[in-house]
Amino acid sequence: MLEDTYGHTPVQKAFAQADPYGVGYDEKRAARPPLRLAICGAGGVAQSKYLPAIARLRTIWEPVAVTAISEPRRDHAEKVAALYGCHWYADWREMIAQEDLDGVLVTTPDSLHSEIGLACLERGLPVLVEKPITQSLVDSERLCRKADEKGLVLMAVANKRYSPPYRRAKHFVAAGPVTNPALYVGKFNLGYDYVDLLEGGTIHVFDLTRYLMGDVRTVRAVGIDQYKRNWQGYPLDNAVCQFEFISGAVGALYTSASALSLKPWERVEVYGDHAWLSVEDQYELRLYDSEDGPAKSWTPIIP
């Protein structure tokens, strides 16, 4: 059974430690130095994902707090400031100049990632940037070089690596029975129009591809604009990618912006030597490791 950072399994926490909710006193976590974070952009992603996650971290004794947010929309800013007890600024520049911070989370529109990220790094602040890290390879390289120059952490969001079904799939690839995989298949559906197909949606499956299979040697891809909807000038609505991995394995990923998003949204498959696994919609992991025995499936309890 997979363990957490401190070697506890869920069963140990729930039964042996009488802590089914995972909120019991954690001496190691509580002893960490306080971490003061700011969030640039307090829109839907920050409010629905980041802030509740940080509140959960505080519940399990991580000494982390959001001390400030920047958000030009007054209604959003005042709501978040009231809920989380933080300062708010209309201008992110004023925030990083005035606040005493240990790091910044950038959840603004994509077009601002590069400018804000560079400014934060210049001030000596580690940065976590919502994907995509920037809208161009040139800006991305500039950010990475600045982080190296300053000796600071710069991260782009790859949150699905931490999802329990994918973590368990990674365990099966690393420790068996799907070791030394030969073939990978991934898919992603995007049925709504406010996210770019590749850099805003499929990017998660690109990251899972590397997480499960390792680095890529070559990529071949073809895309089409079958239905000519031209959402915000985006040039394609369906694409297929082929990969050759450094390990010698091969893979394929297909993605569609003209499908239904949630039926199903996402799927990955990893094929080893007489054993393979699949993860369906980040929810159900299935392991096929015997011709005679049944498939094994596992789904986490969603808190």
Side-chain angles (χ1 to χ4, degrees):
M1 183 174 290
L2 296 180
E3 299 177 344
D4 67 11
T5 306
Y6 302 105
H8 306 137
T9 68
V11 171
Q12 288 172 334
K13 291 185 72 66
F15 297 101
Q17 299 177 17
D19 185 20
Y21 301 107
V23 298
Y25 180 63
D26 193 316
E27 184 177 358
K28 289 183 179 180
R29 280 196 170 108
R32 290 178 172 178
L35 188 65
R36 298 157 300 185
L37 299 178
I39 298 181
C40 292
V45 171
Q47 291 184 44
S48 65
K49 307 296 183 183
Y50 284 78
L51 287 162
I54 291 170
R56 172 62 181 169
L57 288 174
R58 292 171 61 85
T59 301
I60 59 175
W61 299 93
E62 288 283 0
V64 55
V66 175
T67 61
I69 60 165
S70 66
E71 172 55 55
R73 295 168 297 181
R74 189 180 187 92
D75 54 345
H76 283 271
E78 289 184 339
K79 177 179 71 171
V80 171
L83 286 172
Y84 293 93
C86 56
H87 304 144
W88 75 268
Y89 298 81
D91 190 326
W92 60 267
R93 299 170 187 82
E94 183 182 359
M95 180 182 70
I96 65 172
Q98 294 192 17
E99 293 287 335
D100 187 12
L101 301 170
D102 298 305
V104 178
L105 313 180
V106 181
T107 59
T108 61
D110 299 347
S111 59
L112 298 175
H113 289 183
S114 178
E115 181 184 4
I116 295 174
L118 283 171
C120 291
L121 292 169
E122 284 286 2
R123 293 191 65 85
L125 296 170
V127 180
L128 174 69
V129 187
E130 184 46 76
K131 50 79 183 170
I133 187 168
T134 74
Q135 291 185 310
S136 80
L137 291 174
V138 172
D139 287 341
S140 296
E141 184 177 20
R142 185 178 295 120
L143 267 182
C144 292
R145 289 186 182 278
K146 180 60 67 175
D148 287 343
E149 173 191 320
K150 296 286 187 177
L152 295 169
V153 171
L154 168 68
M155 296 180 68
V157 171
N159 57 307
K160 294 199 175 187
R161 292 183 176 217
Y162 302 96
S163 178
Y166 286 125
R167 288 183 63 197
R168 189 171 291 265
K170 175 69 171 181
H171 175 79
F172 287 149
V173 171
V178 194
T179 53
N180 189 28
L183 177 66
Y184 169 90
V185 180
K187 65 154 287 185
F188 184 80
N189 288 358
L190 186 71
Y192 44 85
D193 289 335
Y194 60 87
V195 173
D196 293 335
L197 176 60
L198 298 180
E199 57 267 50
T202 318
I203 189 170
H204 280 302
V205 186
F206 288 141
D207 182 67
L208 289 170
T209 301
R210 293 185 62 215
Y211 177 58
L212 294 170
M213 300 296 292
D215 284 335
V216 178
R217 176 180 289 114
T218 61
V219 178
R220 301 176 183 87
V222 59
I224 59 172
D225 188 17
Q226 181 76 5
Y227 300 107
K228 307 295 189 294
R229 294 194 178 96
N230 197 33
W231 171 252
Q232 294 184 346
Y234 205 73
L236 55 88
D237 56 22
N238 286 268
V240 177
C241 308
Q242 292 181 319
F243 308 105
E244 294 179 49
F245 298 96
I246 290 176
S247 67
V250 294
L253 190 159
Y254 50 101
T255 183
S256 174
S258 59
L260 299 172
S261 282
L262 303 177
K263 300 187 180 205
W265 190 6
E266 174 183 290
R267 178 181 176 87
V268 303
E269 301 173 354
V270 181
Y271 292 82
D273 187 8
H274 291 86
W276 68 283
L277 62 81
S278 67
V279 179
E280 187 87 5
D281 272 347
Q282 195 180 279
Y283 175 68
E284 182 179 16
L285 169 64
R286 295 179 183 176
L287 175 65
Y288 305 85
D289 61 353
S290 169
E291 296 285 6
D292 300 320
K296 303 174 178 69
S297 65
W298 176 77
T299 56
I301 295 173
I302 304 300

